[in-house]
Amino acid sequence: MPAEQISSTANPDQLLIEVYKNLAENKLQNAQVKIDELIEAYPHFQLAHLIRGDLLLMHTRPVASFGAGANVQGEKLKELRDEAAARIRSFRERPAPNLLPRPVIQLREDQKQVILVDAKKSRLYLYENIAGQLRLISDHYISQGKFGTNKFKEGDQKTPLGVYYITSRLSGSKLPDFYGPGALPLNYPNEWDKINGRSGSGIWLHGMPSSSFSRPPLASDGCVVLTNPDFLKIAASVDIGRTPVIISEHIEFVNQAKWSLDKQFAAKLLEEWRLDLESQNANRIFANYSRNFRANQGEDLNSWFSKQRQTWDNWVTPIIKVKDVTHFIYPGKDEMIVSTFTQEVTSGKARTTTRKRQYWRKEAAKWRIVYEANV
């Protein structure tokens, strides 16, 4: 089995940092030891070979530019430079242990992990959920769509922005070598993508061909691509159907106090909606929804609301509870929160349970629901 497909304790980003530190201190021998260690661990790591070429050349003459010691030119050299910059910057700017990813407001108890992708930094973060508190397990270099993010249609070679879930696990033995040791398909397009006319399919987290270690930051057809050791680590950690994957242009990290305020605010939105629904007062309920609301079949608010009201009007002194709640700040230019929860309605002696998802968007100074459906 190729070295890239097995677990290794050598952290490529950390070793690159150590190489550059040694170069800055003119410790060529130490830098050589580190780069040789990196190549031994990952023989197909092209960036490491390029740096090794520069190091060898430094023994004979000064090297003023990255890649001077290798026969690599043009676009390929630019791609390797971009990869080096992304790896080093992200490793140096790793979020402090006391900071939390702002998009993850609340997870269900049975959601033990969450994945966040920062497209700007070409970085994937894996967090674990311990009794409602998030802890960073690891972070990894990734490649994304050749033309960046904000996927809109099939074949645009862009990576989507949104909140997704891993739908299955595909073994590398059943896939072309192109995908490495396997793939984790995502549910793109999700309901918000569809209602906004976004199309396409086949957005996966996957690995690398056995002959390669990594890709440049912008290199896929829209998938999120990891090195094979990193993919195997991620694949072993996630729960199919439960692990959320948040892909954002930029992940904001905040302190505990700010994170707690966001959580309280999202809970307040949902609680006020619950109380309004429980009141059976049509005007109170209606005020929670945006005039730009759209339902699954493209229905506008008035059409959708009248159908829902038939159900609400039949309730007898309802008691409504919400549980198993998740809240995420939805990536994109708009201020949005996506909330998923189990709604339990007790009406007389009858009890109904429904899993719902709502997309809340800030419109002027008011937060309103722009999409709602059963999931």
Side-chain angles (χ1 to χ4, degrees), residues 106-365:
Q106 182 172 334
L107 295 172
R108 294 197 318 258
E109 186 178 342
D110 65 345
Q111 290 177 310
K112 301 302 183 184
Q113 316 85 12
V114 59
I115 290 172
L116 298 103
V117 175
D118 186 316
K120 189 175 181 180
K121 289 185 177 180
S122 297
R123 207 75 183 173
L124 179 151
Y125 301 90
L126 175 64
Y127 279 82
E128 66 176 341
N129 175 26
I130 305 174
Q133 290 295 313
L134 297 177
R135 185 178 74 87
L136 180 62
I137 301 174
S138 59
D139 58 306
H140 310 272
Y141 170 81
I142 57 100
S143 298
Q144 59 184 289
K146 183 177 181 181
F147 294 107
T149 57
N150 206 21
K151 185 174 185 62
F152 190 79
K153 63 182 180 179
E154 184 80 37
D156 61 9
Q157 294 183 298
K158 292 184 178 182
T159 297
L161 300 176
V163 178
Y164 302 100
Y165 290 87
I166 297 168
T167 60
S168 61
R169 192 190 309 269
L170 303 178
S171 170
S173 62
K174 298 180 180 179
L175 294 171
D177 182 60
F178 178 80
Y179 298 100
L184 299 170
L186 304 181
N187 67 323
Y188 173 87
N190 64 21
E191 56 277 328
W192 186 244
D193 293 319
K194 291 174 183 176
I195 210 74
N196 284 284
R198 298 181 183 277
S199 63
S201 60
I203 300 299
W204 298 354
L205 305 181
H206 66 78
M208 291 288 301
S210 56
S211 60
S212 302
F213 178 70
S214 60
R215 291 190 189 182
L218 301 176
S220 81
D221 288 334
C223 292
V224 175
V225 183
L226 299 113
T227 67
N228 291 342
D230 289 348
F231 172 81
L232 289 171
K233 181 171 185 175
I234 296 297
S237 302
V238 301
D239 294 322
I240 304 306
R242 286 198 184 99
T243 300
V245 178
I246 301 170
I247 306 176
S248 180
E249 191 68 35
H250 172 66
I251 301 295
E252 181 183 0
F253 295 92
V254 296
N255 60 31
Q256 180 75 43
K258 172 60 178 170
W259 185 78
S260 296
L261 285 175
D262 286 339
K263 186 175 181 178
Q264 292 168 19
F265 178 77
K268 182 173 179 287
L269 278 181
L270 187 58
E271 175 62 9
E272 290 177 350
W273 170 85
R274 185 195 69 79
L275 291 172
D276 289 342
L277 187 61
E278 197 173 63
S279 76
Q280 295 179 275
N281 183 309
N283 290 332
R284 282 179 58 181
I285 300 170
F286 192 83
N288 288 278
Y289 292 84
S290 167
R291 293 180 180 180
N292 298 310
F293 178 92
R294 287 293 181 271
N296 264 335
Q297 305 304 319
E299 290 179 293
D300 63 16
L301 178 58
N302 290 331
S303 174
W304 178 86
F305 194 86
S306 64
K307 291 179 181 178
Q308 301 300 311
R309 187 172 178 178
Q310 294 173 19
T311 300
W312 304 333
D313 287 346
N314 288 328
W315 289 341
V316 179
T317 318
I319 298 172
I320 300 176
K321 297 179 180 179
V322 295
K323 58 183 181 180
D324 298 330
V325 178
T326 68
H327 295 299
F328 301 104
I329 294 178
Y330 201 85
K333 294 180 180 179
D334 293 331
E335 290 188 69
M336 287 180 55
I337 294 173
V338 55
S339 302
T340 309
F341 54 92
T342 298
Q343 172 188 290
E344 185 181 276
V345 181
T346 302
S347 170
K349 294 183 179 181
R351 179 178 294 177
T352 58
T353 301
T354 310
R355 189 77 180 159
K356 285 185 175 292
R357 183 165 293 147
Q358 296 174 335
Y359 286 78
W360 293 78
R361 183 167 64 196
K362 189 177 183 181
E363 299 179 341

Side-chain angles (χ1 to χ4, degrees), residues 46-67:
Q46 288 182 293
L47 177 59
H49 284 282
L50 190 70
I51 295 170
R52 186 174 187 274
D54 285 346
L55 274 167
L56 293 174
L57 192 61
M58 286 177 188
H59 290 291
T60 61
R61 64 178 174 84
V63 173
S65 63
F66 179 87

Side-chain angles (χ1 to χ4, degrees), residues 64-102:
S65 63
F66 179 87
N71 188 25
V72 179
Q73 298 178 351
E75 185 63 24
K76 183 62 179 176
L77 182 57
K78 179 185 179 301
E79 290 174 347
L80 289 169
R81 284 172 172 162
D82 290 344
E83 180 178 349
R87 285 180 175 277
I88 292 169
R89 178 188 171 199
S90 294
F91 195 79
R92 283 176 172 165
E93 298 177 2
R94 198 168 193 254
N98 64 319
L99 297 182
L100 300 166
R102 192 179 178 209

